[in-house]
Amino acid sequence: MPAAPRRAGAVPRPAAAVSRRATTADQIKDYILTQGLRPGDVLPTETELCENLGVSRSSVREAIRTLSTLDIVEVRHGRGTFVGNMSLDAMVESLVFRGVLIPGDDLQALREVVEVRQALDMSMAERIVDGLRGTADPNLHALVEQMVQSAREGQTFPKQDRHFHTELLEHVGNSLVGQLVTAFWDVHTAVMPRLGLSLPADLEQTAQAHGDMLRAAEAGDVEAFRAAVVDHYAPLQRALDEAQPARRATPGRAEAAR
């Protein structure tokens, strides 16, 4: 008798050797990949997953909870389970937690995040310049003007700063780089206040550096763009350097709690 055809949408059973190692979450991820599903597409019901994966209802529920925290799936109560947006929010939360609780030098984690941000900007310099050469983006120029004005008034400009970097990288044509830059921006701005650190005093240099980056990119000058990136991060790096001796002279949080 010929084997019955596999029902459309059914989750393929993995080979026995693979099933011993794969978790239910892994099998659900495999299903998403093999079926070519996209964010927003519906997944099989809990009962169907149990039947086709050969696992218990509790295993499926635990797997869905795990995948939900990673934004790989999204549970919409009363409607079903869907493929998630797969954002980097979970990574941001983990890095913020690490930045606050890392043993030893708690400023080191923040310093590493800033270094990664600068490295991403520097590595994308040629792509950004190629994308902006000969253009004049009014939105980016308006954001620079707002940042400069806020700095002169002694105010911060987190919203404009974030939007500037996000829009700048839209010209690169690499959505993952844009997500990474935004994610690390979110991490460092979240970690600073939790460590009791204030923003750099020379905010105007940071604001002006955004304008220098934009003008260099529009002029097609890669080296000038990279120099402006260095100027952009210099105030933040100075703030970290100045905070280091003070924190060394202050008892650690663990010691202070004793």
Side-chain angles (χ1 to χ4, degrees), residues 159-242:
K159 181 179 178 181
Q160 293 84 353
D161 193 339
R162 191 178 193 274
H163 285 174
F164 177 87
H165 288 281
T166 300
E167 292 190 24
L168 195 71
L169 286 159
E170 287 179 357
H171 296 269
V172 170
N174 187 320
S175 61
L176 180 57
V177 171
Q179 291 179 56
L180 284 171
V181 168
T182 302
F184 280 104
W185 189 97
D186 290 341
V187 171
H188 113 235
T189 54
V191 169
M192 284 189 69
R194 296 188 189 196
L195 293 179
L197 299 176
S198 59
L199 289 169
D202 44 356
L203 280 176
E204 190 168 347
Q205 177 181 337
T206 300
Q208 294 285 1
H210 287 88
D212 293 339
M213 290 167 64
L214 178 57
R215 288 185 289 273
E218 292 172 343
D221 192 335
V222 176
E223 292 310 312
F225 179 87
R226 287 188 171 129
V229 169
V230 173
D231 289 342
H232 169 275
Y233 289 101
L236 180 56
Q237 290 171 336
R238 280 197 297 271
L240 289 170
D241 290 340
E242 291 168 1

